[in-house]
Amino acid sequence: MRWVVLGLVAAAYVVWGVVTWVQNLPNGGDTAVYQAGAASLLHGFPLYDNDILPTEPGYARLPFTYPPVAALLFTPLVIVPPQVAWGIMNALSVLALVGVVYVVLRKVPRRPSWLRPEWGAVLLGLGLLLTEPVRVNLGYGQINLLLMALVVLDVLAPTRFGGVLVGVAAAVKLTPLIFVVHFLLVGRKRDALRAAGTFVGLQALMFAIAPHDAYRFWTHTVFDSSRIGPTNWSWNQSLGGMIRRFSEQASWSQPVAYGIGLVLAVGAAVLVRRYRDRPAWAMLVTGYLALLVSPVSWVHHWVWAVPLVAVLLAEAGCGNKVARWLLPVTVLLFTLPILRWIPHGEFREYSWTAFDMIFGNGFVLFPVVAGVVLLVRSSRRTPELAQVG
């Protein structure tokens, strides 16, 4: 029965994609860009020379910002209209979300008897469709849930090909490269080598297939933040975005963010080492560090709230007092559309009040505060969140 429910929800996105196509309605702007990138690669059009790709529909006139490997992997999308491609992407994303919850519930150190991975993954996963990062991810037809699923599988359910999925995810979107370091910190050196090797191998493949695009991306596009969008916007929930809002886009914003990120990375490395026997916790530390230090972490990148809620629910169900307090805070933070409520866009962030500053940077401040607390507690005794009872 649970698989029927899950299948119906996933199929509903495909049906809605077909309906919007038949009615010629705009839908899934980011999926349309993915599809246009794949079509450009197949037809020999340059991916990065212009801000708009030739086959983009009128409602998705955006630059292609992903590495050229992504365009190659998006090629199956070209066989259907963009709205239908959006529906398929979202159906796969829903399955990936539930799969992430299932793997996490299987790998947490403990969980209550009522939180069985089979039904728990479906019910919790479908409930997490209401969180803001997931809602935005599905609305745009983004790929973040699928990439997170690749990383979670590789980190928590490794096989003899461990590291390959992380390498693929990093080749599509560079931030998963941080998990190469994660593998080294937890003693999985071979997986780190496979991840790095897969990433490099896929880049080499693109230099052979599309040398102009590969060269253009790695010598120019990867450094051009103007193609991504207004990085001072409140929806950029990274350290760099927060400091840009504080400083009104001062030239020193990103270097300062990198400096703070380096300090946080040291603390995160300590936590990952201490949580080596709790791989789900270690994975979350690395995932959230990646979101913080990336120059751009849009709201829909913060789908790492999904495995975090699963871990907290398991701990809270076993009587953990800290988790019982942290769980509702996490759910409220990532479910309420706070960033839609406060002034945003057109430089309104520069006139934020102190209240706006706190809540408008909530995604950034939350893991920083939580990480500092965990680091302090773990240096004194066994972390509360890992204690039994």
Side-chain angles (χ1 to χ4, degrees), residues 121-199:
V122 174
L123 294 177
L124 180 58
L126 295 181
L128 289 170
L129 292 174
L130 299 176
T131 57
E132 185 75 344
V134 174
R135 285 200 304 263
V136 177
N137 192 92
L138 297 177
Y140 289 159
Q142 268 276 344
I143 197 173
N144 298 295
L145 286 163
L146 296 173
L147 297 181
M148 181 177 67
L150 293 179
V151 173
V152 170
L153 279 174
D154 222 352
V155 173
L156 297 186
T159 66
R160 60 178 179 171
F161 302 108
V164 171
L165 296 181
V166 163
V168 171
V172 175
K173 200 166 196 173
L174 302 179
T175 47
L177 274 175
I178 197 172
F179 281 92
V180 174
V181 180
H182 177 94
F183 284 141
L184 293 174
L185 288 173
V186 299
R188 294 170 59 178
K189 296 180 181 178
R190 291 184 178 179
D191 292 352
L193 288 174
R194 275 190 288 266
T198 301
F199 174 82

Side-chain angles (χ1 to χ4, degrees), residues 12 34 270:
Y34 299 160
V270 173

Side-chain angles (χ1 to χ4, degrees), residues 57-234:
Y59 61 86
R61 311 293 277 175
L62 298 169
F64 189 82
T65 59
Y66 289 81
V69 172
L72 178 64
L73 296 180
F74 290 144
T75 51
L77 296 177
V78 303
I79 64 177
V80 295
Q83 296 95 326
V84 179
W86 170 86
I88 294 171
M89 282 282 292
N90 278 356
L92 295 174
S93 294
V94 170
L95 298 177
L97 185 155
V98 172
V100 164
V101 177
Y102 177 79
V103 172
V104 170
L105 291 180
R106 287 287 299 262
K107 297 297 180 178
V108 288
R110 59 186 182 148
R111 54 182 166 78
S113 58
W114 50 263
L115 190 58
R116 297 172 58 186
E118 294 79 9
W119 263 110
V122 174
L123 294 177
L124 180 58
L126 295 181
L128 289 170
L129 292 174
L130 299 176
T131 57
E132 185 75 344
V134 174
R135 285 200 304 263
V136 177
N137 192 92
L138 297 177
Y140 289 159
Q142 268 276 344
I143 197 173
N144 298 295
L145 286 163
L146 296 173
L147 297 181
M148 181 177 67
L150 293 179
V151 173
V152 170
L153 279 174
D154 222 352
V155 173
L156 297 186
T159 66
R160 60 178 179 171
F161 302 108
V164 171
L165 296 181
V166 163
V168 171
V172 175
K173 200 166 196 173
L174 302 179
T175 47
L177 274 175
I178 197 172
F179 281 92
V180 174
V181 180
H182 177 94
F183 284 141
L184 293 174
L185 288 173
V186 299
R188 294 170 59 178
K189 296 180 181 178
R190 291 184 178 179
D191 292 352
L193 288 174
R194 275 190 288 266
T198 301
F199 174 82
V200 172
L202 288 172
Q203 305 311 318
L205 175 64
M206 294 313 300
F207 271 99
I209 295 175
H212 172 78
D213 288 329
Y215 179 80
R216 175 75 175 175
F217 178 82
W218 288 107
T219 60
H220 181 267
T221 306
V222 71
F223 306 108
D224 183 7
S225 61
S226 66
R227 293 173 62 89
I228 302 173
T231 54
N232 63 311
W233 188 29
S234 62

